[in-house]
Amino acid sequence: MIAQFFNGNYENVFLCILTLILFLVPSFIQMNYHIKLPDTLEVIILLFIFAAEILGEIHAFYLEFPFWDTMLHTLNGFLAAAIGFSMVDILNRTERFSFKLAPIYMSIVAFCFSMTIGVMWEFFEFFMDQFFMLDMQKDTVIHTISSVMLDPTNSNRPVMIADIAEVTVNGQPLGIDGYLDIGLIDTMKDLMVNFIGAVVFSTIGYFYIKYRGKLRFASRFIPKVAAKEDDKKRKYIE
């Protein structure tokens, strides 16, 4: 953050401050809502924040490594499903609530929660691109397009243009070897890998509930209500 400040990159200074605030969120949740985050899940969350903000945005890993954005969106689908699943699991095991959901329904809720988070993020990217021209929905170079807008007869028939090698805008070559997609492919790819991450965790969560206590692997990703002993230790530390 200090280096970015002296270099005059004030937008990156804001990203560094945002990263530091996000680093405090897991501890804030554990201290104030008596929810215990497994160490594995907490480490993944912190690494996810660092990889997205510091490496991805400031060090341009999104451009340096084409798989970087795909990896983070897949992980986001997994983490969001874990959070959604744990919310329902905590309510399911609380005596104040009378409803009890079957494992399959809990998995469906976790999946839907994860996909909703993914869609809301794509809405945010679209909003930032439309009003602030940030290009968060990264463009893709393609060599074939098909559109009904190109049909001279206006009969709603798609006209295809293949082997696009050069595009001219306002009389000037665009400077790329193909046609520039405006974020649609990136958005759909992000949602598809989010889907994969959500399905993976929802499957893990289903077997975690069905065979509760026997799958130690799944327990590393599912937050739980802090035990009374943990609360006492926390108060003693404070």
Side-chain angles (χ1 to χ4, degrees):
M1 181 175 66
I2 295 173
Q4 296 300 322
F5 177 81
F6 283 109
N7 289 331
N9 298 323
Y10 300 114
E11 181 179 346
N12 290 344
V13 172
F14 169 76
L15 288 175
C16 290
I17 295 174
L18 176 62
T19 301
L20 292 174
I21 294 174
L22 292 175
F23 277 166
L24 297 175
V25 171
S27 297
F28 177 82
I29 293 175
Q30 294 187 91
M31 299 297 291
N32 292 275
Y33 295 98
H34 307 289
I35 295 176
K36 184 178 181 180
L37 298 179
D39 293 339
T40 302
L41 178 63
E42 187 170 0
V43 169
I44 292 176
I45 291 174
L46 296 177
L47 290 176
F48 176 83
I49 295 170
F50 185 80
E53 300 297 337
I54 304 300
L55 298 180
E57 294 290 347
I58 296 179
H59 291 282
F61 273 34
Y62 290 127
L63 299 178
E64 190 78 17
F65 305 101
F67 65 87
W68 198 257
D69 185 59
T70 301
M71 176 192 69
L72 291 180
H73 276 281
T74 306
L75 188 58
N76 177 74
F78 185 89
L79 293 176
I83 294 172
F85 186 89
S86 64
M87 290 169 58
V88 179
D89 187 40
I90 290 172
L91 291 176
N92 227 21
R93 302 175 66 181
T94 301
E95 296 179 356
R96 290 179 298 176
F97 296 92
S98 58
F99 71 89
K100 297 293 181 182
L101 294 180
I104 185 63
Y105 285 104
M106 293 181 64
S107 296
I108 293 174
V109 170
F111 171 79
C112 292
F113 179 84
S114 177
M115 293 304 300
T116 300
I117 295 298
V119 170
M120 293 299 293
W121 177 255
E122 295 302 325
F123 284 170
F124 172 75
E125 288 189 346
F126 177 78
F127 173 83
M128 298 302 287
D129 289 352
Q130 291 295 306
F131 292 95
F132 299 101
M133 301 299 173
L134 294 182
D135 192 26
M136 295 185 69
Q137 295 176 302
K138 297 295 186 289
D139 301 329
T140 304
V141 176
I142 57 178
H143 299 90
T144 301
I145 61 174
S146 178
S147 173
V148 297
M149 297 293 292
L150 301 175
D151 180 15
T153 64
N154 293 323
S155 56
N156 200 35
R157 292 184 301 178
V159 175
M160 185 178 69
I161 300 178
D163 301 324
I164 300 175
E166 184 181 9
V167 175
T168 301
V169 178
N170 294 333
Q172 297 294 327
L174 198 58
I176 59 174
D177 182 22
Y179 182 79
L180 194 63
D181 168 72
I182 54 173
L184 175 62
I185 294 177
D186 178 76
T187 297
M188 295 309 299
K189 179 193 67 178
D190 291 345
L191 290 177
M192 284 189 285
V193 296
N194 191 104
F195 172 87
I196 294 173
V199 168
V200 170
F201 185 84
S202 298
T203 303
I204 294 174
Y206 170 81
F207 289 104
Y208 170 79
I209 295 298
K210 191 172 182 63
Y211 306 102
R212 188 182 294 277
K214 296 181 180 180
L215 298 180
R216 295 183 179 181
F217 173 78
S219 63
R220 298 176 181 177
F221 304 98
I222 301 176
K224 305 177 184 64
V225 176
K228 294 182 179 180
E229 292 77 9
D230 294 334
D231 290 340
K232 292 179 180 179
K233 292 179 181 178
R234 189 175 294 112
K235 291 180 180 178
Y236 176 77
I237 294 174
E238 293 176 346

